[in-house]
Amino acid sequence: MSEQFDLTIIGTGPGGYVCAIRAAQLGLKVAVVEKRKTHGGTCLNIGCIPSKALLHASELYEEAGHNFSKLGIAVEGLNVDLAGMLKHKDDTVNSNTSGIEFLFKKNKITAFHGWGSIEAPGKVKVTADDGATQTIESKNIVIATGSDSANLPGIEIDEKRVVTSTGALDLETVPEKMIVVGAGVIGLELGSVWSRLGAEVTVVEFLDRILPGMDGEVAKNFQRTLKKQGFKFKLSTKVTNVDNSGDSLKVTVEPAAGGDAEELDADVVLVAIGRTPYTKGLGLEEAGVELDERRRVKIDNHYKTNVDGIYAIGDVVVGPMLAHKAEDEGVAIAEILAGQAGHVNYDVIPGVVYTSPEVASVGKTEEEVKDAGIDYKIGKFQFTANGRAKAMLSTDGFVKIIADKNTDRVLGAHIVGKGAGEMIHELAVLMEFGGSAEDLARTCHAHPTMSEAVREAALGCGDGTIHM
Ligand SMILES: Cc1cc2nc3c(=O)[nH]c(=O)nc-3n(C[C@H](O)[C@H](O)[C@H](O)COP(=O)(O)OP(=O)(O)OC[C@H]3O[C@@H](n4cnc5c(N)ncnc54)[C@H](O)[C@@H]3O)c2cc1C
């Protein structure tokens, strides 16, 4: 008789691998199935980690070219060694993905390589690259197959000149002109990388704003900063065709509402219009697992599908497509399957855009509190009035805290600024504990730090800021 597992997870991205480790720690016998050669999913292989390696390297290059002289550092012969930068990215990916392999061994998790599909509840079929199949018997199955880049209808991706984020992480030369389709997080991050390295970047966005879903004031402000950095924007505009027959790409754009078409030249077009859940070839229809209107796996509040013993987490289910959201769901379902009370607080999931400056937010936007009819107040503080920011030549941006006018409870926080992605967490902890703006304002903050601006914004929700 074949080996019986308590839990088999299909996909070892941040949702799947974290779920596997937590479940094994809680005493379950765990198997994972992964179609890629390496573990870590989109995030570690072609997403969060490689993009941050390139963002970091290109940011330092940009700093060296622009700010070092103001700091009294003379730099001569500054050059981009693109091959070296890509190697740093690949080394970072390898070190992270091999770390997951180590953690699987440490936690006695059995890893199967191949295509996973559900034969029936309790049975996962693994098809290896050579076509050989085997069946894993498992009491429970978690689908953690993540997502894939969404395509623009009629536009052919070759991952060389017309690329998704995956190709944009591997360009062999810096394009002279790059068109980014979509002004979401991924488009702006990867656009920043190539803009810093010398590309002229034009962002074409269907909506009339960048970063849909983020606080409107923050997005407007941030767009101004990106323009100062050389970004061009064509908002309320759609791409209708990319002609790749010549040496340069001809990109046809039109006003989103209809009107005269225009042709733009580009060396590289990055299609970053979002991601679609990965549900094909999984045997979901055969197993009777329901999908929702956007082809995500439908789950209840405990990650269970409509079929007993089959669960789903991460990008393949409803909610923000973020690695830490997938990880937290992985922990929650592992705890639920081990008989504990796993839970994720979806009101406190931070989101970060790792550009320069960074943009970070947690909780509600001003538009959301307004729409909900909540009586609210706002505290704001600009980094131009923060001593540390001045010392670091990093005065772009501000902190905005939204609190309930009657209870002072913090409902949302938004930061544009250097290190915003780190600073946002004191607000996340505060919100987890149901804290007030006054709680934050009365907490001593080390001087001189960028985080003092966070405290000042909290003071701004009450009696007023001190340094502005
Ligand atoms: C360029 C880029 C940058 C990003 N940056 C960030 C960031 O900075 N922060 C952030 O929070 N998020 C970021 N994301 C999003 C983040 O990568 C995803 O939200 C996260 O990876 C989702 O995790 P997951 O476990 O649900 O799925 P995934 O990471 O997509 O993992 C799913 C895994 O399942 C495997 N799989 C799929 N089908 C099968 C099958 N049938 N059999 C076997 N294996 C299968 C896939 O090969 C994959 O390894 C970024 C994404 C991209 C593309």
Side-chain angles (χ1 to χ4, degrees):
M1 203 179 123
S2 68
E3 210 176 351
Q4 168 89 27
F5 289 91
D6 294 317
L7 169 63
T8 298
I9 303 155
I10 309 180
T12 58
Y17 86 72
V18 168
C19 176
I21 293 169
R22 189 75 190 115
Q25 285 171 342
L26 293 172
L28 302 189
K29 190 171 161 56
V30 181
V32 293
V33 185
E34 173 56 55
K35 69 182 168 69
R36 261 200 190 89
K37 296 222 162 11
T38 51
H39 298 296
T42 304
C43 174
L44 269 58
N45 290 281
I46 50 165
C48 324
I49 295 298
S51 59
K52 270 74 234 177
L54 291 184
L55 278 157
H56 178 69
S58 60
E59 187 177 341
L60 290 186
Y61 171 70
E62 159 97 4
E63 281 267 305
H66 288 90
N67 280 344
F68 275 21
S69 60
K70 295 182 202 149
L71 296 168
I73 306 169
V75 181
E76 274 171 35
L78 184 66
N79 270 315
V80 176
D81 165 14
L82 186 55
M85 220 177 255
L86 295 178
K87 181 179 178 305
H88 160 65
K89 177 212 49 160
D90 292 339
D91 290 347
T92 310
V93 167
N94 292 339
S95 127
N96 277 279
T97 56
S98 56
I100 307 299
E101 212 167 306
F102 162 79
L103 289 171
F104 280 169
K105 283 194 186 121
K106 180 180 163 202
N107 288 286
K108 303 193 173 30
I109 293 160
T110 307
F112 294 86
H113 278 282
W115 184 273
S117 56
I118 299 173
E119 244 175 34
K123 287 184 197 303
V124 175
K125 183 163 112 184
V126 184
T127 309
D129 288 349
D130 63 5
T133 62
Q134 59 184 313
T135 298
I136 307 170
E137 309 270 341
S138 186
K139 269 190 229 155
N140 295 294
I141 298 168
V142 169
I143 302 164
T145 48
S147 62
D148 209 354
S149 304
N151 290 341
L152 268 175
I155 288 167
E156 195 192 317
I157 301 285
D158 59 20
E159 294 296 10
K160 294 280 174 211
R161 296 202 300 163
V162 185
V163 298
T164 65
S165 54
T166 305
L169 290 166
D170 246 342
L171 299 180
E172 281 163 13
T173 52
V174 178
E176 257 175 57
K177 286 187 179 177
M178 182 178 208
I179 291 183
V180 176
V181 191
V185 179
I186 293 175
L188 297 182
E189 286 187 359
L190 293 174
S192 286
V193 166
W194 296 106
S195 161
R196 291 167 188 166
L197 299 182
E200 181 193 301
V201 174
T202 304
V203 179
V204 182
E205 166 60 52
F206 186 84
L207 299 175
D208 61 358
R209 55 162 294 171
I210 68 165
L211 295 176
M214 279 215 165
D215 188 272
E217 182 186 14
V218 165
K220 238 187 217 145
N221 223 282
F222 181 55
Q223 190 186 345
R224 271 202 294 273
T225 305
L226 288 177
K227 272 188 182 163
K228 274 198 272 168
Q229 292 175 9
F231 269 68
K232 292 185 178 152
F233 288 95
K234 280 190 168 293
L235 302 183
S236 305
T237 303
K238 61 183 174 192
V239 170
T240 55
N241 190 40
V242 179
D243 176 358
N244 61 3
S245 57
D247 283 347
S248 105
L249 300 166
K250 305 277 177 218
V251 182
T252 312
V253 298
E254 272 176 28
D260 292 343
E262 184 191 347
E263 201 173 77
L264 308 173
D265 279 336
D267 305 298
V268 170
V269 172
L270 162 59
V271 179
I273 55 165
R275 298 185 58 83
T276 49
Y278 210 108
T279 49
K280 44 184 188 278
L282 272 172
L284 298 183
E285 274 112 57
E286 296 81 341
V289 175
E290 283 178 18
L291 303 181
D292 69 13
E293 70 294 346
R294 290 165 70 176
R295 297 203 59 76
R296 297 173 294 208
V297 179
K298 224 167 156 176
I299 48 166
D300 66 12
N301 288 340
H302 293 96
Y303 311 101
K304 190 177 145 322
T305 68
N306 59 311
V307 178
D308 283 349
I310 303 181
Y311 302 81
I313 56 167
D315 277 11
V316 82
V317 302
V318 66
M321 287 182 163
L322 292 170
H324 41 285
K325 176 259 192 189
E327 288 186 38
D328 280 19
E329 289 179 343
V331 169
I333 184 60
E335 291 177 349
I336 290 168
L337 292 175
Q340 300 184 356
H343 169 75
V344 176
N345 179 1
Y346 290 96
D347 288 335
V348 186
I349 298 201
V352 180
V353 192
Y354 295 85
T355 41
S356 176
E358 290 180 349
V359 184
S361 70
V362 63
K364 296 204 176 339
T365 63
E366 190 171 351
E367 291 78 11
E368 282 170 341
V369 286
K370 221 179 252 169
D371 287 351
I374 297 169
D375 217 3
Y376 68 95
K377 57 186 174 178
I378 283 185
K380 231 187 266 177
F381 194 80
Q382 304 284 341
F383 283 109
T384 40
N386 174 275
R388 183 71 184 280
K390 285 186 203 177
M392 298 195 301
L393 301 180
S394 299
T395 51
D396 270 345
F398 62 98
V399 182
K400 171 177 179 178
I401 294 178
I402 304 170
D404 187 297
K405 200 169 193 170
N406 302 310
T407 64
D408 197 37
R409 186 177 175 149
V410 172
L411 305 172
H414 308 274
I415 308 177
V416 182
K418 190 178 181 70
E422 302 293 339
M423 285 187 278
I424 199 70
H425 294 108
E426 70 167 306
L427 285 144
V429 173
L430 181 86
M431 287 173 67
E432 271 296 341
F433 284 87
S436 66
E438 186 178 347
D439 289 330
L440 178 49
R442 289 191 181 277
T443 304
C444 187
H445 282 61
H447 175 76
T449 56
M450 298 285 282
S451 297
E452 285 174 288
V454 175
R455 183 193 200 179
E456 288 272 8
L459 277 164
C461 289
D463 293 338
T465 58
I466 291 181
H467 291 91
M468 232 170 65

